[in-house]
Amino acid sequence: MFSYIDLLGKKFKYGGRGPEVYDCWGLCREVYRRLGIDVPDFQSSSDFSEIHQKILQGKELLEQLNEPEPYCMVFFTLRPPYVTHIGIVLNPPYFIHILEKSEVAVERLDSITWKKRIAGFYRWKKK
């Protein structure tokens, strides 16, 4: 059974890959690791747009979704028009993520803070 409770409250650090600090991609990789899914590691500076482009270049690995589903990725535009953030949907409408100067948290996709910033939902294709 997948558990994420121990991740809540972990601190943010650029390039963080755990187990004590994470950036948003590092947290997503950890969630997927716990689900038995190995995803590639991308290093980036403070801008997730570079990671987003690398992910989309590997389109054969991803499938875009019209609606969120458990354990899909959700991309956000915090600085439009660029995709600068990612989280993992838990059980819609809840998702887990971490922001700079913050810590791992679970929030709602349909909240006023997030619903207008959603850039898309993606799931990893089975190999």
Side-chain angles (χ1 to χ4, degrees), residues 4-117:
Y4 61 86
I5 301 301
D6 63 306
L7 295 170
L8 298 177
K10 299 287 183 175
K11 302 292 184 195
F12 180 92
K13 181 178 180 184
Y14 286 115
R17 296 299 182 259
E20 297 303 318
V21 295
Y22 293 94
D23 62 13
C24 61
W25 184 247
L27 178 64
C28 288
R29 288 189 75 230
E30 176 61 18
V31 168
Y32 279 127
R33 184 191 69 76
R34 292 176 182 206
L35 292 166
I37 301 169
D38 185 36
V39 297
D41 192 9
F42 300 114
Q43 292 295 326
S44 180
S45 59
S46 62
D47 188 353
F48 185 74
S49 293
E50 180 182 340
I51 291 174
H52 177 244
Q53 288 305 312
K54 288 179 180 178
I55 290 170
L56 292 182
Q57 288 169 5
K59 289 178 185 166
E60 68 279 358
L61 300 176
L62 297 174
E63 180 178 358
Q64 188 164 12
L65 305 170
N66 293 323
E67 298 290 326
E69 64 180 38
Y71 312 122
C72 73
M73 294 181 291
V74 54
F75 294 157
F76 295 98
T77 54
L78 302 184
R79 296 181 298 234
Y82 305 104
V83 172
T84 54
H85 187 54
I86 188 171
I88 299 290
V89 175
L90 297 170
N91 189 16
Y94 297 97
F95 73 103
I96 189 169
H97 72 118
I98 188 168
L99 287 168
E100 181 182 5
K101 299 179 184 172
S102 188
E103 53 193 38
V104 176
V106 173
E107 295 191 59
R108 293 180 62 101
L109 292 166
D110 56 0
S111 73
I112 195 165
T113 303
W114 296 109
K115 66 182 176 181
K116 292 185 178 183
R117 294 178 172 167

